[in-house]
Amino acid sequence: MNKLISIIGPSGVGKTTLARVLCEKHDFAIAYEQHNERPFQTLFKQDPKYALANQLDYLLYRAEQEYEMRQSNKPALMDGGLDLDFHGFTRLFHLHGWLNDEEFKLCQRFYTLTRSLLPPPDLIIALSASAKTISDRLAARNRINIASSEDAQTVSLFMDKWLESISEEKIIRLDITQEGMDYAHSVPIILDKIAS
């Protein structure tokens, strides 16, 4: 089975950009988040009653991506991923009241079963950035944003809690506030870790 690398962090932190830069430097199988292509994303943005459908769709989609990526003969790179979608965004939406307790438990059951059938990522690249950096990036991008820049700290706290259960040797923590769009500082660190 090949190696699976997941890039996690709040919306706007630069996961997709980093994934693209890494793919320019190394031959990865790649899986992107695909916000605009998901069938319930726009509906959820317009009406919170679609939160459950949106989250179950995302959790299933990310599990399908992981399964497919694990079949590749090259290392796989996930822009976000199953763990981010559950521990970060499903918990955030529950906190906001967009998912009630029973809906959250349904998502949790799906995640727990799926993670028992699919091995967790072999390496997690955990990105963080200043609130201003995230706010500026969210404002500049042309994509559906459910989570706001104000949600970034909450998502990061949820992800930090999950990362406490992961061995530190499987995590690369990067503050990319000062990084340019080429990630000149971070990319060599990541590629060295992957090669080791």
Side-chain angles (χ1 to χ4, degrees):
M1 187 174 282
N2 66 336
K3 183 179 283 190
L4 178 68
I5 302 141
S6 181
I7 304 173
I8 66 165
S11 296
V13 77
K15 300 182 295 293
T16 303
T17 303
L18 176 59
R20 288 187 178 128
V21 171
L22 285 168
C23 286
E24 291 170 5
K25 306 289 184 184
H26 191 79
D27 188 20
F28 290 105
I30 181 69
Y32 290 108
E33 289 180 311
Q34 296 194 354
H35 297 272
N36 295 330
E37 294 85 349
R38 304 313 314 142
F40 298 102
Q41 187 83 338
T42 301
L43 293 171
F44 177 30
K45 180 70 174 176
Q46 297 167 352
D47 189 339
K49 76 179 183 184
Y50 291 100
L52 178 61
N54 186 68
Q55 284 313 101
L56 286 176
D57 174 64
Y58 259 102
L59 294 171
L60 180 58
Y61 176 62
R62 300 308 257 167
E64 290 166 342
Q65 283 184 315
E66 272 197 22
Y67 179 79
E68 183 180 327
M69 292 294 101
R70 286 291 194 180
Q71 312 312 309
S72 176
N73 60 1
K74 51 191 174 183
L77 191 60
M78 296 280 299
D79 169 14
L82 179 63
D83 303 292
L84 174 61
D85 279 351
F86 177 72
H87 292 287
F89 295 107
T90 303
R91 290 187 186 281
L92 177 71
F93 299 161
H94 182 234
L95 179 71
H96 279 310
W98 299 334
L99 294 171
N100 65 35
D101 292 346
E102 293 307 313
E103 290 170 332
F104 175 77
K105 287 176 186 174
L106 184 61
C107 293
Q108 187 174 41
R109 283 173 53 205
F110 179 85
Y111 170 78
T112 301
L113 175 63
T114 302
R115 189 44 83 216
S116 74
L117 299 172
L118 290 172
D122 301 286
L123 181 65
I124 298 159
I125 303 167
L127 301 183
S128 63
S130 71
K132 182 178 185 324
T133 299
I134 289 173
S135 179
D136 290 347
R137 288 183 177 183
L138 281 174
R141 72 186 193 176
N142 183 23
R143 126 175 13 166
I144 299 168
N145 296 316
I146 302 295
S148 68
S149 57
E150 291 78 23
D151 291 323
Q153 184 177 10
T154 304
V155 170
S156 294
L157 290 172
F158 285 146
M159 295 311 297
D160 286 344
K161 186 69 178 167
W162 169 65
L163 287 173
E164 289 175 7
S165 68
I166 308 296
S167 169
E168 279 296 322
E169 68 186 22
K170 292 187 172 188
I171 305 169
I172 301 174
R173 298 176 191 268
L174 298 170
D175 183 331
I176 51 82
T177 301
Q178 302 300 321
E179 280 276 21
M181 299 308 275
D182 62 353
Y183 287 89
H185 174 73
S186 297
V187 165
I189 294 170
I190 294 166
L191 293 178
D192 284 349
K193 179 71 174 179
I194 292 169
S196 65

